[in-house]
Amino acid sequence: FLALNPRGKVPVLRMGELTICESNASLTYLGERYGRLWPAVGGGDHGRSLDLLYLEGSAFQELAGVFFFNRVVLPRIGKSPDQERQEKASLKLEPIFNILLNQLGDKDYMFGDYSMVDCAYGAWLPYLELDDFPALVRWRERILGRASWSITRQM
């Protein structure tokens, strides 16, 4: 596996001779290559989708990961969650939630139809406190209610 990704991390996308080791780069590549679940290249939604994917990878993942670690990993190894760390992460997530709310508007998904952007954020949504953001709660329910997410519910 280290021959594919020297960092030893998943995911890794391997297509022929091409290897992509960053999850959002994989989502972008697949969306642009196949023209599915991705806004048309060159349009405003395309630029916005890139912006949201970079935000997910540069800020959202780390903060959402605090909740995943405290709510999933620590209990599985018999340790107590760090409430203070979660509260700090929650405060830092609020501006990102507002960005997501602005993009979501009254649409079902970030760009109307389900997209790779929804996929990137969707993996983290089950672990986050969204009660103060009802539109994000409904967005999470729509994503997790999709048949394609059924494996997530089994984990």
Side-chain angles (χ1 to χ4, degrees):
F1 187 77
L2 291 176
L4 292 175
N5 184 351
R7 292 179 56 218
K9 304 261 182 183
V10 295
V12 171
L13 173 65
R14 177 95 173 156
M15 295 184 73
E17 295 299 314
L18 175 67
T19 302
I20 301 175
C21 299
E22 293 297 325
S23 59
N24 288 340
S26 295
L27 293 175
T28 303
Y29 177 79
L30 292 170
E32 291 182 357
R33 177 180 171 125
Y34 295 105
R36 297 181 56 209
L37 305 176
W38 192 249
V41 174
D45 282 349
H46 178 252
R48 189 72 184 133
S49 66
L50 292 171
D51 190 45
L52 289 171
L53 279 180
Y54 291 150
L55 176 64
E56 192 274 339
S58 67
F60 186 82
Q61 253 183 46
E62 178 182 350
L63 297 168
V66 169
F67 289 91
F68 177 81
F69 185 76
N70 277 275
R71 294 179 176 184
V72 177
V73 176
L74 289 179
R76 288 186 181 174
I77 61 172
K79 303 234 177 195
S80 298
D82 183 339
Q83 193 61 35
E84 183 179 340
R85 190 153 184 244
Q86 291 178 81
E87 288 170 9
K88 286 179 182 178
S90 185
L91 289 174
K92 291 179 181 178
L93 276 168
E94 191 167 328
I96 298 173
F97 289 160
N98 288 322
I99 291 168
L100 296 176
L101 283 170
N102 186 53
Q103 177 63 38
L104 187 61
D106 62 357
K107 301 180 294 290
D108 286 342
Y109 299 103
M110 284 293 145
F111 295 95
D113 293 328
Y114 185 68
S115 72
M116 296 293 194
V117 173
D118 300 292
C119 289
Y121 284 91
W124 300 106
L125 295 177
Y127 311 105
L128 301 176
E129 288 295 328
L130 298 175
D131 294 341
D132 292 338
F133 304 91
L136 295 182
V137 170
R138 291 188 298 275
W139 175 53
R140 173 176 62 194
E141 290 170 355
R142 282 189 293 276
I143 291 172
L144 298 179
R146 296 176 62 83
S148 57
W149 282 89
S150 64
I151 190 163
T152 305
R153 292 188 299 269
Q154 296 172 11
M155 295 176 84

